[in-house]
Amino acid sequence: METETEMLNTYFSNGAEVEISSDEDGFRGAWYEGIVVRPIQKKQRRNKDDDDDESSNKLRVLVEYKTLMADKKGKRPLKEAMTLVQLRPRPPPERRRKFKVSDEVDAYYNDGWWEGVVMEVSSDGKYSVFFRGTRDQLEFEESRIRIHREWANGEWTPPFGDEGEEKQKEEKLVSTETKPNNEAAEIFSEGSLVEVSSDEEGFEGAWFVATIVKLLDNGNYLIEYQTLRNNDDTAFLQEETDRLHIRPRPPDIGSFESFKVLEEVDALHNDGWWVGVISKVLKGQRYKVYFKVSNEELEFKHADIRLHLDWTNGKWVRASQALKL
C-alpha cells in the first residue's frame, strides 16, 4: 500500500484534477470536481495533547472546487483543506452506455456526482434514480449518469476497460425493457424471481418471494414459493396466481442507517414481507412496527426492515409520499 507522500506525488500533485467528498450535512454521498492547489504542511506537535489529535498529523491538500463558489455572486471558487481520503483522481471519460434497473450509478445533480440506484428506465430513454441518503428520486438524461465506481489503493472498482461485449448485452436488455408491449413478458417470464401476495385471511398485507414455474394459457402464472411449504412439508408450495397478485422483486436500493417514525416499511416476519409503519425507534437499531391490517405492533431489528415500495402500472412508487420512483 502506498504511503500518503507517495499518493500525493502520484495522484494529487499541484494542478491535478480531482473529485472531492465532504462529511458536512447535505453534502455526504456526493463528489465534486476540483483542482489541487498545493499541499499543506503538517502541524508540528507542541505538547503531549497533540498526540491524541489524529487530524493534526494527517497530510492535507488545499483544493479549489470547479462548481462550488465561496461568494453569493459566484465569482470566487471555494477553496478548502482536505485529507487524502476525501480525494480521488477525476475518473477518465467513459463511452456513453445504457443502464438497467438496479444499476449503481452516479447522477450529476446540484453541481456534484451523487451515488444512487436506477429504479426505472422510461420509454424515452430517461432514468429514474433513487438516492439512499435523502430517499429522493429524480429523473435524469443518459448524459447525466455514469457507472458508480469506488477508488481505493490506486485502483478503480469496477475497473475501466473494454466493455464492448457486456455493453452490447446491456443495451439489448434495456431496449427490451423499454418496449411497452414486451415489458410484462420480460419481467414475468418462466424462472423469474417475483413476490406474490394473497387475499386469504391471515395473509393480507404480505408479499412472499417466489419463482415463476410456468405461464398458463389463461394468462395466470404457476409460481413456487421459496419459503412456504405444502401441507405435508415434502416440497415448496406451488400455486396459481394472477397479475394483480404478482410483482417483480423490489430493486436493490441498499440499506439505510436508520428509519424514522411514521415511515412506511416492509418487515420480514413469518416468511414474508409485511407492510407496516415505524411506530417507535428503539435503542440498538431496533424498531417497533405497527401493522394496520392485523392491528398489531411488533419489534424488529434493523436488518429485517426495508423501505416500502408499491408496484403500480409497471413502476415502483413510494405510496407514503405519493411520488413516482
Side-chain angles (χ1 to χ4, degrees), residues 21-40:
S21 67
S22 174
D23 293 330
E24 292 185 24
D25 289 341
F27 294 90
R28 293 189 185 96
W31 289 90
Y32 295 90
E33 296 178 0
I35 295 176
V36 173
V37 178
R38 59 177 173 81
I40 298 176

Side-chain angles (χ1 to χ4, degrees), residues 38-175:
R38 59 177 173 81
I40 298 176
Q41 296 296 323
K42 295 181 181 180
K43 291 182 180 179
Q44 297 296 320
R45 294 178 181 172
R46 296 181 180 179
N47 52 52
K48 287 183 180 180
D49 293 337
D50 288 341
D51 291 345
D52 297 327
D53 184 5
E54 293 184 4
S55 63
S56 67
N57 298 316
K58 286 184 178 295
L59 181 61
R60 293 176 178 267
V61 297
L62 183 67
V63 298
E64 180 179 286
Y65 291 90
K66 288 187 176 182
T67 57
L68 300 183
M69 299 295 152
D71 60 325
K72 293 183 178 180
K73 293 183 178 180
K75 294 183 178 181
R76 185 162 54 90
L78 178 64
K79 293 182 181 180
E80 285 187 324
M82 294 290 179
T83 62
L84 297 192
V85 297
Q86 294 174 286
L87 302 178
R88 68 183 188 185
R90 185 178 180 182
E94 297 185 45
R95 294 176 301 177
R96 292 187 63 177
R97 54 169 291 162
K98 301 293 182 182
F99 300 92
K100 60 181 183 293
V101 172
S102 294
D103 274 352
E104 291 195 8
V105 296
D106 296 333
Y108 193 77
Y109 177 65
N110 276 354
D111 301 320
W113 291 97
W114 297 77
E115 180 184 352
V117 178
V118 175
M119 297 283 280
E120 180 191 345
V121 182
S122 64
S123 57
D124 60 359
K126 293 182 179 179
Y127 298 89
S128 191
V129 178
F130 178 83
F131 301 100
R132 299 182 182 94
T134 61
R135 290 164 165 80
D136 290 330
Q137 179 137 350
L138 300 171
E139 196 170 75
F140 294 89
E141 300 281 351
E142 183 182 297
S143 59
R144 312 284 282 187
I145 299 177
R146 69 186 186 188
I147 301 172
H148 175 70
R149 302 179 194 272
E150 298 287 347
W151 190 79
N153 300 323
E155 295 182 353
W156 289 99
T157 305
F160 287 89
D162 184 9
E163 303 165 336
E165 184 176 349
E166 186 64 26
K167 180 173 181 290
Q168 290 178 1
K169 290 179 182 178
E170 291 175 347
E171 288 178 344
K172 289 179 182 178
L173 174 61
V174 173
S175 65

